[in-house]
Amino acid sequence: MANEKIYDRINEQSPWQDITEGNKIFEAATSRDFCTGEWRTATPVWDADKCKQCLLCTPVCPDSSIPVTAGKRESFDYDHCKGCGICAKVCPFGAIGMREGK
Amino acid sequence: MAIRERLSGNEAVAYAIKQVNPDVMPAFPITPSTEIPQYVANYIANGEIDTEFIHVESEHSAMSATIGASAAGARAITATSSCGMALMWEELYVAASNRLPIVLALVNRALSGPININADHSDSMGARDSGWIQIYAESNQEVYDNFIQAFPIAEDKRVHLPVMVCQDGFITSHGVENILLVEDDRVKSFVGEYEPEHYLLNPEEKMAVGPYAVSNYYMETKRAQRQAMIQARAVILETAARFEEMTGRKYGFFEEYQMEDAEYAVVIIGSAAGTCKAAINEIRNTTGKKVGLIKIRVFRPFPEEEIARALSGVKAAAIMDRSEMFSATSGPLGAEVRAALYQARSEVEVVNYFYGLGGRDITVSDFKVVYENLETIARTHVVTGMYEYIGLRSEQSEEV
């Protein structure tokens, strides 16, 4: 099935016989399917008005959570952002602030 | 026709590596296994094999690189001893749980401290819970034979587990013995071409190795890993049978020496079995007493039922450990054999001996004393305690 996810086949109800040998995953980029943004304890907030679209923030994000479309950044991917704050630190225009909590 | 040679245990393993011509060998030198990568490096430098040798900065890196190569799809091996394997500790478990068919040539040496370079089994016995198959040898011939058999065992689809091929430091690793080598082409066809079904460098298949597994998955993963170890039993025996067809040399989980009618038995691992055999021959020839030996070859998976069956006819048995595990009761082999006998409802009297720690010699006379003690125990049904020592200097008459 084209849209079948790895957790449709192996999940928390799977018996041991269904676990792949050595937990090998025969799929790529499965991390996208898991909402790891819930680990976050601080949240970056983007001020679109102050943003000059210099795109310095995008490449420094360790979790690729600043999507870019047609040469312009968009709002954060909060499903995967861990709130590390590197983007806020690197922004020369004060367009990213950090808020406590999720 | 087999090739007659005289080789040390390290030379024998290196020669087997040359015959197998594995894809990758990351290794770091450590006494007494240093010669193995050294000889292999020579073979490579002379253009005799095309193994990719990786000069790493530590054993931690050696096992990491071996794991990486194996996951990528290579037939990968390494060699080490003692503290070198201790530095691999974390990766030993990773290799096994990732189900990588790595072969490790281990030359057994005591772990520090005190620092000591001589033979004892504390390195491999410490790693007995890491998920590796462990195969031990008495002689240079056996370590050569075991090393060749390790590949088909590790790479079998029913197993896919790493194998540790162990020999006693210096005693066999540096001792030169007559040896029968198998011809290159027959070794190559015995181990076959390595063709992994899943591997990272396969452009046709997406694959990730070693993912994070939370508590909802870890237990099921460990159960599946145990299944591979259970299935390894049959594969080890099938491989031994195939090896016997090729060479005429017979292997199993353990060797039974003069056990058909034995009343008193020693259970032991490694080179000291040769000394024990000499004692058995002498005792049987001079006194006719029915003494025998079980020499463990495969310690992981542990042949519990088979050992209990092999000991079922004896009156008393001495389980001999060449490493401490500081349970303050027994050594690792003593504990496992006792558990096997208990499970089999055996009434065999058992005493556990520590011998040969840090390379301490054990002699034919020592084994004669062991068999005399077994006779006394069988007659009096008094076992002095959970364990005794051979060759220990002490002011006490008993150490228990």
Side-chain angles (χ1 to χ4, degrees), chain B residues 178-351:
Chain B
N178 288 330
I179 193 166
L180 291 172
L181 300 170
V182 184
E183 297 84 342
D184 291 0
D185 56 331
R186 297 176 83 199
V187 171
K188 280 187 178 28
S189 82
F190 186 82
V191 300
E193 278 292 319
Y194 179 48
E195 280 160 6
E197 192 182 343
H198 304 291
Y199 55 101
L200 285 172
L201 289 183
N202 178 3
E204 307 301 320
E205 182 176 60
K206 294 170 187 166
M207 179 174 147
V209 174
Y212 181 58
V214 290
S215 27
N216 292 320
Y217 296 97
Y218 190 89
M219 205 151 161
E220 282 70 23
T221 304
K222 289 294 148 188
R223 175 61 184 86
Q225 199 180 330
R226 174 172 171 241
Q227 192 63 25
M229 198 52 103
I230 292 168
Q231 287 165 193
R233 295 176 198 272
V235 178
I236 289 167
L237 295 181
E238 285 168 26
T239 307
R242 208 156 60 78
F243 192 82
E244 189 185 354
E245 265 174 49
M246 178 171 72
T247 63
R249 292 192 288 279
K250 192 176 172 61
Y251 289 98
F253 295 133
F254 48 84
E255 179 194 348
E256 294 181 71
Y257 187 78
Q258 300 279 13
M259 283 299 292
E260 301 80 17
D261 60 347
E263 293 177 344
Y264 312 104
V266 160
V267 183
I268 206 163
I269 296 177
S271 60
T275 314
C276 187
K277 285 174 184 174
I280 289 170
N281 294 345
E282 227 178 286
I283 295 168
R284 280 190 176 254
N285 289 340
T286 54
T287 69
K289 284 177 183 167
K290 293 169 178 167
V291 293
L293 162 75
I294 292 177
K295 180 189 77 193
I296 307 283
R297 174 178 178 249
V298 179
F299 186 71
R300 286 289 180 269
F302 190 69
E304 180 184 279
E305 288 173 17
E306 292 83 354
I307 288 176
R309 213 175 304 132
L311 287 173
S312 61
V314 308
K315 292 178 180 168
I319 322 300
M320 315 269 294
D321 268 292
R322 197 164 198 158
S323 64
E324 249 295 3
M325 70 175 186
F326 297 110
S327 66
T329 54
S330 58
L333 184 60
E336 303 229 2
V337 174
R338 275 196 177 111
L341 292 172
Y342 177 83
Q343 200 63 21
R345 308 281 188 271
S346 167
E347 288 181 359
V348 177
E349 299 284 4
V350 171
V351 61

